[in-house]
C-alpha cells in the first residue's frame, strides 16, 4: 500500500493523478481503465478541494492498494473536512436534457457507474471514500 498526504487544492489534482498512475505502471492496465480512474480522481479529489475545508485548505490522504485476486486497484480518499457522504444523494435523471437537469451530482454518478465498487464512511472525524476498479 502506498500513501500520499497533500493539501486538498485543485492545483494538486495532477499530483494525485500522477501518484496513482505510478502505482498502475507495469500492471498492463488498459488505457480505458486508466482514463476512468483519472476522471474519478479529478472528481473526488476536486470535491474534497472545493468543499471539505471551504474556505480554508486542509490535508487529504490518498491511499492506493493493488489487490491480486482478481487484479484490482483500491483508492481511498481521506479528509478531516465537513462530514459529507456523496453516495447519499439521488442519482441525477440522465434522461432529461442538460437544460432540464438540476446542477450537481453528475460527477459522482459517473464515478459510481465507472468503478466496480464505491463506499463511504465517516469515522473518527474523517471522511473516508473508497473506490475499487478491476484491472
Amino acid at each position: 500500500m502506498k500513501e500520499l498526504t497533500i493539501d486538498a487544492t485543485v492545483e494538486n489534482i495532477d499530483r494525485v493523478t500522477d501518484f496513482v498512475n505510478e502505482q498502475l505502471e507495469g500492471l498492463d492496465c488498459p488505457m480505458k481503465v486508466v482514463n476512468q480512474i483519472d476522471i474519478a480522481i479529478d472528481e473526488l479529489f476536486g470535491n474534497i478541494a472545493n468543499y471539505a475545508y471551504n474556505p480554508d485548505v486542509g490535508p487529504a490522504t490518498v491511499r492506493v492498494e493493488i489487490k491480486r485476486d482478481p487484479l484490482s486497484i483500491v483508492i481511498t480518499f481521506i479528509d478531516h473536512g465537513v462530514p459529507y457522504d456523496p453516495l447519499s444523494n439521488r442519482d441525477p435523471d440522465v434522461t432529461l436534457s442538460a437544460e432540464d437537469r438540476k446542477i450537481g451530482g453528475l460527477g459522482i454518478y459517473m464515478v459510481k457507474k465507472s468503478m466496480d465498487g464505491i463506499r463511504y464512511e465517516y469515522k473518527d472525524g474523517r471522511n473516508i471514500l473508497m473506490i475499487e476498479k478491476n484491472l
Side-chain angles (χ1 to χ4, degrees):
M1 179 176 4
K2 300 281 184 169
E3 191 172 282
L4 171 70
T5 299
I6 193 167
D7 282 343
T9 63
V10 172
E11 294 78 20
N12 281 333
I13 292 173
D14 286 341
R15 287 190 58 201
V16 172
T17 303
D18 291 344
F19 168 72
V20 173
N21 287 338
E22 285 172 16
Q23 311 316 307
L24 290 171
E25 287 178 12
L27 295 176
D28 294 324
C29 187
M31 188 51 68
K32 177 182 177 182
V33 172
V34 173
N35 288 336
Q36 290 172 326
I37 291 168
D38 289 353
I39 290 168
I41 293 166
D42 186 74
E43 174 64 24
L44 300 174
F45 195 83
N47 282 348
I48 295 168
N50 286 315
Y51 304 113
Y53 301 102
N54 193 21
D56 299 319
V57 173
T61 299
V62 179
R63 223 177 256 157
V64 178
E65 179 181 359
I66 304 297
K67 293 185 173 182
R68 294 290 170 188
D69 196 19
L71 185 61
S72 64
I73 185 170
V74 177
I75 306 168
T76 305
F77 299 85
I78 303 166
D79 69 76
H80 297 273
V82 175
Y84 176 67
D85 177 0
L87 306 180
S88 66
N89 295 331
R90 287 184 35 202
D91 290 340
D93 184 350
V94 294
T95 63
L96 297 174
S97 68
E99 296 83 30
D100 294 332
R101 225 180 289 140
K102 289 183 180 178
I103 294 175
L106 193 57
I108 193 70
Y109 174 78
M110 291 182 348
V111 172
K112 286 167 42 177
K113 291 297 182 187
S114 65
M115 295 295 114
D116 295 301
I118 184 167
R119 57 189 177 277
Y120 168 86
E121 70 176 321
Y122 185 77
K123 185 177 179 182
D124 300 327
R126 302 178 307 167
N127 291 294
I128 304 168
L129 183 65
M130 185 180 298
I131 59 172
E132 184 168 359
K133 182 67 179 174
N134 294 332
L135 304 178

